[in-house]
Amino acid sequence: MSSISINNLTFGYDGNYNNIFENVSFNIDTNWKLGLIGRNGKGKTTLLKLLQEKYEHKGTITKKVDVDYFPFEITNKDRMAIEIVYEIAPNVEDWEIIKELNLLNTDAEILYRNFNLLSGGEQVKILLISLFLKGNNFLLIDEPTNHLDIETRNNLVNYLENKKGFIVVSHDRNFLDKIINHVMVINNTNIEIQQGNFSSWKENKDRQDNFELTQNEQLQKNINKLETAAKNSAKWSNEAEKTKSKKYNSETTIDKGYVGHKAAKMMKSSKVIEQRIEKAINEKTNLLKNIDRNDTLKIVPLESNKKPLVLAKNLQIKYNGQTIFKPISFEVNNGDRIAIVGKNGIGKSSILKLILEKEIQYKGEFKVANDLKISYVSQSTENLKGNLKSFAQNNRIDESIFKAMLVKMGLSNLDFDTNIQDMSEGQKKKVLIAKSISEQANIYIWDEPLNYIDIITRIQIEDAILKYKPTIIFVEHDETFIEKVATKIIDLEK
């Protein structure tokens, strides 16, 4: 058994007001299959980089294992995919590469295409087989499921089940439940480690949050009652003191000693109550620090009088004159929530582009109703730039609503001063989603909206869709999200 020991770790990026980690200490057993979770921007990737000794820091990180980080850094992506595999795993033979591709149910022809021209899912597959072939070091795996279809995610599960130990960052709840036996959570104020999978941690988290919320409410009631009692005691004591010096007529007698004793007693009682108030306030301040706000996002969909909004009969997408999936027929009406699923490269995004009236070759019948307002979230974030204010203006959305949605999704006011191109991938994706839900639309078209998005925000998005019931067509590989949100599923077959 080996371990990784972190003691008094402190780290912050140059120019940032707050440190990401402050005097953090914990130990990790390298036999653990550890899931690392937390809100976007909490420092998950940063922690993996620190374990690779990429950054200068205060405190100590002690490890007796060699580590590999996924995804691998590719210096030149403008070359054949097989060259990249050779670079990462230099001692492998061609038959081994093809064997791993077969296990991912992927055609070997992608090895001989330019890596830059592969889809996001195909690029991840190339990097995954390189990981499988590379060796037996301790793995630091950073969001491996982004862009991966459901079948490939399950193949990755099978691979990781045979690994002795690793740390994986993922926001896919179903994936985490299948592969991990310990959870590390980067909270608002600390880092905690628990035995179990995501579901067991979430159950414990909800129980602890509910307990703290109940405690907080009870303490607030007690504080209010104690404050009232303290004011009454102090008021009685002051009034009693005044009677000692007050002049009375000759027939009135008063025991000034008794009054003084009683006033002192009431004042002492008031001080005791104040001490109890201070204790209750101290208890209260220790609560709720790690409770993430789960405010419901707001969507204001527009209902159309057109029916259907979209109609497809025996539709097939064509690449280079060849149809790539079996004929499908469907229609989209107000309130439908349609998930399009299938393997990477089978044409899911092309169906979305057809609805957006892009030039896509197809066979069959396809119609989109006139004058529909459509809101679109793309897979890619690479064209995002500028600050949030200019982004809102350029996209003609209400800046205050847009920023309010971002705050609900975990961005802070400090993040508002960051140029979008300098944000994390998760934060960039939140910008696209916040833009979309700030728009009133007949149809919301989302292409893999959850890539890089943290679990808490995924739940917020689910809750908003179920509450406001927009008409939405989406491509997504998160099985939990699909199960909760979709009213129809279109499964593309090769």
Side-chain angles (χ1 to χ4, degrees), residues 124-159:
V124 174
K125 286 179 181 180
I126 291 296
L127 297 182
L128 278 177
I129 65 167
S130 304
L131 173 70
F132 299 164
L133 294 166
K134 188 175 189 300
N136 206 29
N137 290 338
F138 186 74
L139 300 181
L140 308 176
I141 310 170
D142 198 356
E143 301 201 44
T145 60
N146 288 327
H147 304 291
L148 282 187
D149 57 54
I150 293 170
E151 182 180 357
T152 308
R153 291 184 188 210
N154 290 330
N155 289 327
L156 179 56
V157 167
N158 294 334
Y159 169 74

Side-chain angles (χ1 to χ4, degrees), residues 62-220:
T62 306
K63 63 182 190 299
K64 296 181 180 179
V65 291
D66 294 324
V67 300
D68 283 327
Y69 176 78
F70 178 92
F72 302 101
E73 294 181 8
I74 309 300
T75 52
N76 176 16
K77 296 182 180 181
D78 190 22
R79 51 188 168 146
M80 281 198 302
I82 195 168
E83 295 179 61
I84 289 171
V85 178
Y86 287 148
E87 181 180 287
I88 297 170
N91 298 319
V92 301
E93 298 184 19
D94 287 358
W95 68 267
E96 294 176 293
I97 298 172
I98 293 170
K99 176 187 172 184
E100 293 298 336
L101 274 177
N102 287 336
L103 291 175
L104 293 182
N105 203 12
T106 301
D107 198 318
E109 63 89 17
I110 72 168
L111 291 168
Y112 305 99
R113 285 159 53 193
N114 189 300
F115 185 81
N116 257 338
L117 300 180
L118 298 179
S119 71
E122 289 169 332
Q123 288 185 359
V124 174
K125 286 179 181 180
I126 291 296
L127 297 182
L128 278 177
I129 65 167
S130 304
L131 173 70
F132 299 164
L133 294 166
K134 188 175 189 300
N136 206 29
N137 290 338
F138 186 74
L139 300 181
L140 308 176
I141 310 170
D142 198 356
E143 301 201 44
T145 60
N146 288 327
H147 304 291
L148 282 187
D149 57 54
I150 293 170
E151 182 180 357
T152 308
R153 291 184 188 210
N154 290 330
N155 289 327
L156 179 56
V157 167
N158 294 334
Y159 169 74
L160 292 176
E161 282 178 343
N162 295 318
K163 290 297 293 183
K164 193 173 183 181
F166 53 79
I167 301 174
V168 59
V169 175
S170 178
H171 304 301
D172 185 321
R173 292 154 284 183
N174 186 54
F175 177 76
L176 287 173
D177 274 346
K178 290 177 179 178
I179 63 166
I180 65 172
N181 55 31
H182 284 76
V183 179
M184 176 188 287
V185 187
I186 303 179
N187 289 315
N188 297 327
T189 61
N190 67 345
I191 292 177
E192 63 171 322
I193 297 175
Q194 292 183 16
Q195 186 173 357
N197 59 16
F198 170 78
S199 291
S200 65
W201 168 80
K202 186 66 167 61
E203 185 178 338
N204 292 335
K205 170 72 170 167
D206 289 344
R207 189 183 299 116
Q208 179 65 26
D209 287 355
N210 289 333
F211 170 77
E212 290 193 15
L213 287 166
T214 302
Q215 279 288 98
N216 182 70
E217 186 178 344
Q218 187 59 51
L219 284 168
Q220 188 58 60

Side-chain angles (χ1 to χ4, degrees), residues 51-65:
L51 293 177
Q52 297 175 76
E53 302 176 3
K54 295 281 187 182
Y55 302 140
E56 294 291 330
H57 58 84
K58 294 180 181 178
T60 60
I61 297 175
T62 306
K63 63 182 190 299
K64 296 181 180 179
V65 291

